[in-house]
Every structure is written in C-alpha cells, then in structure tokens.
Amino acid sequence: MTHPYFQGASAPRVLAHRGLVGEDSSVFDNSALAIAAADAAGAEYVETDCRATADGDAVLFHDETLQRLLGDPRPVAEVTTAELVALFAAHGGLLTLADALESFPLLRFNVDVKALAAAGDVGRAAAAHGHRVLLTSFDDRNRRAALEAAAAAGAEVLPASSGGRTAIALLRLASALRLRGWVRRILRGLDAVQIPERFGAVRVFTPALVRAAHDAGVEVHVWTVNDPERMRALVSAGADGIVTDRADVAIKALAPH
C-alpha cells in the first residue's frame, strides 16, 4: 500500500533541501524563512534535519555544532532552545519540529533524525502528522527510535520511512546480484530509499537498484541535485524524487510539458 505521504502529491517529487535559502546569505538553511520560501515557491515536500537542544527539544538544524552558521564551536546539544532562538532571530528564525508542523500544515516533511537524543521528541511531534512525515537517518537506530516514539504517542498513522546507510549499501549489493528475496527483506517496512548518485568511486544510483526498489513498491529519491538537466536525466532513468537546494528551479524543470 502506498503511504499517505505520497498520495495526492505531484510526481516526480521535489524535496526542498533544508528549505530554500535563495540569494540572502543572512538566512540560515532549515530556518523558518527558508521553509516559508520553499512553501511559497510551490514545494510540496521539504527535507529537513533534527537535533536535540540541551532542553531535549527537536529543532530543525543540520550540523552537530554551531560552527558553520555562527562561528561558535559548541555542539547544538549543549545550547538551550531559548539561546538558539535568540541566535537565529536575525537569520530566519528557529523552528522546533512541532513548530514547523503546526506552522506549515500543508507541507510534507522529510525529517533526517541526526541524533538519537532527538528521536523521542521527533516521534512525539510527528505522531499527529504521520500522514505527512517521512523519517530517515543515516543511522537506522535513530529512525526506529523516532517511529517507536510516534507509536507510543498514539500515532494513528505511523510516519513513512526511508532506509539508512546500511540498508542502502545492502540494497546496492543485493540488486546488483539480482537477489530478489534479499532485496525484499532489506526493504521491508520502508517506503523510500534516498541516495546520492555516487559514493566515491561507487555508483549508487543504478538501473538494477531502481528496478529492485520499484519491484518492492519503494520510491527512489536522489540527493542533492541542483542542475536542471541532471534532474531531468535522473527522472528519465527512474528517480521518483529529487532532493535539491533549488526547489524553485526543480519545480520548473520537472513540470509536465
């Protein structure tokens, strides 16, 4: 059965990577303004990340520390939510996941659970919105913990799931060897796999992987693609979705003609 996360939405999927920052360098990725810009551009899906603050709140934040955005070496996990709100005030505004889901009720969120400490709050926030949330993580333990928290919080519809690093590596191997039974076991309980085109010298996005995923009813999303010609080529080769920093460009490039 297709998860509600994918029902009634445009295809191919355009997932706005950390929102849409545009030309304003003062606006941080994953900020409220970045999410609002993606929404205004017509994106139906936003890819975002969650980490836990010192208070245990799941906030939209990618990096482990504040260094890249603010020149501050402290880990997010050691900063209070109130201080982070103050630091983000001039840069687009901080959102907790609960804030984001309430503020943008029509958007569908692709949430990368970056830290196990964030999983509980992610699951609780997503519990009432399972039909429009997909949970993922490089570490499948984080994703599973968030799903368990959503279930414990009474979710009527559990969020969709995308497999982590181990699932993707196994799928790449099993699809190359045409081991259909193994593929089915790897993809059991998953609704999508989200992959780069390549990982070092290894091509991850292959015809065999796409076929194997589609045979199991699982979508394939490719990250992070900003060139419109490459977007079109990947969709022609079977990609169901494109994760991009330029959702505005992708929406136009992938519109039906």
Side-chain angles (χ1 to χ4, degrees):
M1 293 292 292
T2 301
H3 193 280
Y5 183 75
F6 296 120
Q7 292 175 358
S10 302
R13 324 294 180 189
V14 173
L15 295 95
H17 186 230
R18 307 183 203 169
L20 179 61
V21 171
E23 303 299 322
D24 188 346
S25 60
S26 70
V27 175
F28 288 167
D29 54 47
N30 277 326
S31 65
L33 275 181
I35 306 301
D39 189 29
E44 295 174 272
Y45 293 93
V46 168
E47 187 277 344
T48 190
D49 314 274
C50 277
R51 290 189 179 275
T53 66
D55 305 301
D57 296 322
V59 294
L60 305 195
F61 203 99
H62 177 272
D63 300 1
E64 186 175 359
T65 74
L66 309 184
Q67 185 65 47
R68 175 177 64 90
L69 294 179
L70 291 158
D72 182 336
R74 287 180 298 166
V76 176
E78 295 179 7
V79 182
T80 66
T81 306
E83 185 177 1
L84 207 54
V85 166
L87 290 169
F88 260 65
H91 300 286
L94 182 76
L95 288 171
T96 66
L97 180 58
D99 291 336
L101 289 165
E102 290 174 11
S103 300
F104 300 96
L106 299 181
L107 279 179
R108 304 176 195 218
F109 284 85
N110 189 111
V111 181
D112 185 346
V113 187
K114 287 292 186 185
L116 188 58
D121 200 45
V122 166
R124 288 187 291 274
H129 306 275
H131 61 289
R132 61 187 184 100
V133 173
L134 180 146
L135 297 178
T136 189
S137 179
F138 284 135
D139 188 334
D140 279 315
R141 292 174 300 176
N142 299 351
R143 174 180 59 84
R144 292 190 188 107
L147 284 170
E148 288 168 6
E156 292 185 11
V157 177
L158 280 179
S161 276
S162 175
R165 195 163 23 199
T166 300
I168 290 165
L170 291 173
L171 176 62
R172 174 66 177 80
L173 178 60
S175 62
L177 297 175
R178 300 183 181 180
L179 300 174
R180 293 186 65 186
W182 191 16
V183 166
R184 294 268 175 176
R185 288 194 293 276
I186 294 164
L187 295 177
R188 187 175 296 133
L190 299 180
D191 303 283
V193 288
Q194 297 175 334
I195 60 175
E197 276 196 79
R198 307 185 71 89
F199 185 78
V202 178
R203 185 164 182 81
V204 182
F205 181 84
T206 64
L209 183 145
V210 171
R211 281 195 303 271
H214 288 172
D215 284 349
V218 170
E219 293 202 2
V220 178
H221 304 159
V222 185
W223 51 266
T224 302
V225 187
N226 296 328
D227 177 70
E229 289 301 320
R230 197 71 212 125
M231 295 172 189
R232 285 189 283 262
L234 287 163
V235 168
S236 294
D240 301 289
I242 299 294
V243 182
T244 178
D245 298 317
R246 296 302 309 271
D248 50 346
V249 172
I251 289 166
K252 292 176 183 175
L254 300 176
H257 295 292

